[in-house]
């Protein structure tokens, strides 16, 4: 019996909504796989999270908007978003799936 999975496995053919799956979690960390294809945050919506978020684009391209500018991400790019730094997904490539690895974490006391 194996507990292994593949980050690129079980991808849905159609993505009417962005897919967010929790891969693992503990008291101060949550690891997610996010799959987007042409998705963006709703207009005038901003994430304002209590936890930090480290995000790696494993496949595809995307743009993340902050109040002070836009960051373009492509395969292999990563960014650390500190807690309460307002941001939104501005764009993800509609022609291919963008697969993100997101690690949400809190500071140790």
């Amino acid at each position: 019996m194996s507990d292994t999975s593949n980050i690129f496995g079980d991808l849905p053919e159609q993505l009417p909504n962005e897919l967010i799956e929790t891969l693992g979690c503990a008291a101060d960390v949550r690891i997610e796989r996010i799959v987007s294809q042409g998705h963006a945050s709703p207009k005038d919506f901003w994430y304002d999270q209590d936890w930090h978020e480290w995000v790696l684009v494993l496949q595809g391209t995307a743009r993340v908007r902050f109040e002070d500018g836009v960051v373009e991400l492509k395969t292999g790019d990563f960014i650390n978003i500190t807690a309460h730094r307002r941001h939104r997904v501005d764009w993800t490539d509609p022609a291919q799936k963008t697969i993100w690895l997101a690690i949400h974490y809190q500071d140790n006391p």
Side-chain angles (χ1 to χ4, degrees):
M1 185 158 132
S2 174
D3 291 331
T4 64
S5 294
N6 188 295
I7 198 79
F8 300 107
D10 299 322
L11 296 174
E13 286 296 317
Q14 301 296 318
L15 280 171
N17 298 304
E18 189 172 58
L19 176 65
I20 302 173
E21 300 174 299
T22 299
L23 303 177
C25 61
D28 294 329
V29 68
R30 183 176 73 253
I31 303 168
E32 296 174 335
R33 176 178 79 165
I34 303 169
V35 184
S36 311
Q37 188 170 11
H39 298 97
S41 299
K43 185 179 176 172
D44 299 324
F45 172 84
W46 292 91
Y47 288 101
D48 186 355
Q49 303 169 153
D50 292 333
W51 290 30
H52 307 294
E53 182 179 10
W54 182 89
V55 183
L56 166 65
V57 174
L58 298 168
Q59 171 185 298
T61 55
R63 284 193 302 260
V64 177
R65 179 172 298 279
F66 296 93
E67 292 179 304
D68 60 350
V70 176
V71 174
E72 296 199 22
L73 300 168
K74 63 185 181 318
T75 299
D77 290 343
F78 62 89
I79 188 169
N80 190 60
I81 304 169
T82 56
H84 297 292
R85 184 173 184 202
R86 289 170 37 105
H87 64 285
R88 60 187 310 278
V89 177
D90 208 34
W91 174 88
T92 58
D93 190 343
Q96 68 173 325
K97 290 177 177 65
T98 298
I99 302 174
W100 317 69
L101 180 66
I103 301 173
H104 302 265
Y105 64 97
Q106 294 184 331
D107 291 323
N108 289 329

